Amino acid sequence: MATGGVKKGPWSEQEDEQLLSYISKYGHGHWEAMARKAGLNRTGKSCRLRWLNHLRPGVRRGNITLQEQLIILQLHSRWGNRWAKIAECLPGRSDNEIKNYWRTRVQKQAKQLRCDVNSHQFIEIVQHVWMPQLAERVQTQCKSSPTITQELECCETSSISCGKLSNDSSNTHSDAAPLSIPCQLSDPSSSHAYNNDSNRHVSDAADSDPAWRLGAGLEADTYQMNVEKETISCEDYCPWSEQGLEVDKSQELLETAAWYDHDYCYSLENLLNDDDMMILCQQFLFDDHRA
DNA sequence: AATGTCGACAACCGCCAGACT
DNA sequence: TAGTCTGGCGGTTGTCGACAT
């Protein structure tokens, strides 16, 4: 729709002010008309993008937190490249930002492992190595912060526990392994973490499920390299890249993922419907952002 | 100090679906 | 019903700063 003479490129401070001023008076929507009426020599699309990604209230910029990273990985494994949908679960984040995160960080990891980001191999690694490790780190972070710990307990006793949702969503995996959302990744032996009947199978699953054992750090001898190092960045964590893995170690990860027994793999897709997923993520993140 | 490379981020482009006429 | 317009979305490109050589 761009026509000749329409300005492109970075927005100036004055343009931002013009857009903000117009929206504060008349609200947003009807972007093409708005661009004209606000005296902006921009396309409606450009105005919309600027508003959504930078100017709207509550927009969050900067480092993607560990929790957000985990949720992005989780939701991407469920929804694929549906950035806008994923962004709905991350308050204040734009689809553009999530997309950029995926392209710059996640694809970089795939490159390091010498596999395609969309390959089955890489997806396996993300689901069974990266996400459990990330979840564990988030939980460690939560436990080290009293404020977050309080919220964690609040989260655990709330109605969004894994078992309740899995019952409500009529899935058939009554002995499903815990979700990879950190607030549910408490020690499986801890009774207060899963205190209703529907969760009584969790401990059983924890004993036998390699994914759960991995997430809980019980495969310490195999993955000790991942938990020993204390200097792992909290901003952009990845089990293998942070360790500076050599090629043979990367291969080890690939083999580990290949070894994984799918009978034990209960993805969120099997546990939750889309609405439950949204609620779960938003509640989790809302608690986090209050801290 | 100059140059090259890379990563992160902002913005644009093209396609598509829905609303409207 | 067909055509047009608009907004939304995902893919891609451009730009800039940090870092390495």
Side-chain angles (χ1 to χ4, degrees):
Chain A
M1 188 64 65
T3 58
V6 174
K7 187 181 175 189
K8 295 180 182 178
W11 279 63
S12 68
E13 211 169 305
Q14 187 190 352
E15 286 176 310
D16 281 347
E17 284 173 12
Q18 277 180 269
L19 183 59
L20 275 171
S21 169
Y22 186 90
I23 289 176
S24 67
K25 285 179 187 169
Y26 307 106
H28 57 81
H30 306 288
W31 296 104
E32 286 295 335
M34 173 195 294
R36 289 193 304 271
K37 290 176 183 174
L40 288 160
N41 192 24
R42 295 273 184 174
T43 65
K45 282 186 175 187
S46 183
C47 294
R48 175 182 165 270
L49 211 59
R50 186 66 184 171
W51 167 254
L52 289 176
N53 293 343
H54 298 272
L55 302 177
R56 69 186 162 104
V59 67
R60 298 179 69 227
R61 310 273 298 285
N63 294 332
I64 305 284
T65 67
L66 288 176
Q67 288 95 330
E68 287 172 320
Q69 288 175 44
L70 180 58
I71 285 179
I72 290 169
L73 293 178
Q74 188 87 70
L75 296 182
H76 188 274
S77 71
R78 177 183 175 87
W79 293 328
N81 294 0
R82 298 186 63 186
W83 309 117
K85 194 172 177 68
I86 293 172
E88 285 177 36
C89 292
L90 296 162
R93 297 292 187 185
S94 68
D95 57 347
N96 209 33
E97 197 164 15
I98 293 167
K99 186 166 52 183
N100 281 333
Y101 166 76
W102 186 265
R103 290 190 59 81
T104 57
R105 320 283 176 80
V106 179
Q107 289 194 351
K108 184 178 75 179
Q109 307 303 339
K111 195 177 175 183
Q112 280 191 343
L113 293 176
R114 297 180 180 180
C115 53
D116 186 87
V117 72
N118 294 318
S119 68
H120 182 68
Q121 247 179 349
F122 185 70
I123 291 168
E124 291 284 289
I125 291 172
V126 168
Q127 288 188 343
H128 307 312
V129 181
W130 190 352
M131 292 200 310
Q133 292 286 330
L134 186 53
E136 185 187 5
R137 187 145 288 270
V138 170
Q139 195 189 4
T140 302
Q141 205 179 55
C142 287
K143 281 179 175 172
S144 68
S145 163
T147 310
I148 297 176
T149 303
Q150 280 183 338
E151 289 166 353
L152 182 68
E153 288 169 356
C154 174
C155 188
E156 283 167 350
T157 55
S158 74
S159 63
I160 62 168
S161 69
C162 165
K164 185 171 190 303
L165 276 175
S166 62
N167 281 348
D168 291 349
S169 56
S170 68
N171 76 81
T172 56
H173 293 134
S174 61
D175 56 348
L179 306 179
S180 295
I181 300 297
C183 60
Q184 276 112 15
L185 274 174
S186 300
D187 181 354
S189 62
S190 166
S191 59
H192 80 275
Y194 302 98
N195 55 2
N196 61 35
D197 286 343
S198 63
N199 285 320
R200 69 180 184 278
H201 301 292
V202 167
S203 295
D204 299 338
D207 290 339
S208 58
D209 185 348
W212 168 247
R213 290 165 61 84
L214 201 60
L218 299 177
E219 299 282 1
D221 45 358
T222 308
Y223 293 95
Q224 195 170 14
M225 58 185 183
N226 294 330
V227 294
E228 274 186 341
K229 189 170 179 178
E230 294 303 320
T231 56
I232 292 171
S233 163
C234 286
E235 300 304 334
D236 191 12
Y237 170 70
C238 178
W240 53 87
S241 69
E242 293 293 343
Q243 305 305 318
L245 288 182
E246 295 168 359
V247 174
D248 61 331
K249 288 290 183 184
S250 302
Q251 194 57 42
E252 185 182 315
L253 284 169
L254 295 171
E255 287 165 4
T256 300
W259 152 83
Y260 191 84
D261 184 348
H262 288 266
D263 289 344
Y264 289 107
C265 176
Y266 303 120
S267 68
L268 283 176
E269 188 160 0
N270 294 327
L271 294 170
L272 303 175
N273 60 37
D274 286 0
D275 290 340
D276 287 340
M277 174 68 84
M278 291 277 194
I279 292 166
L280 184 65
C281 293
Q282 285 174 353
Q283 191 161 352
F284 169 62
L285 281 168
F286 178 71
D287 285 347
D288 179 49
H289 293 153
R290 274 186 326 194

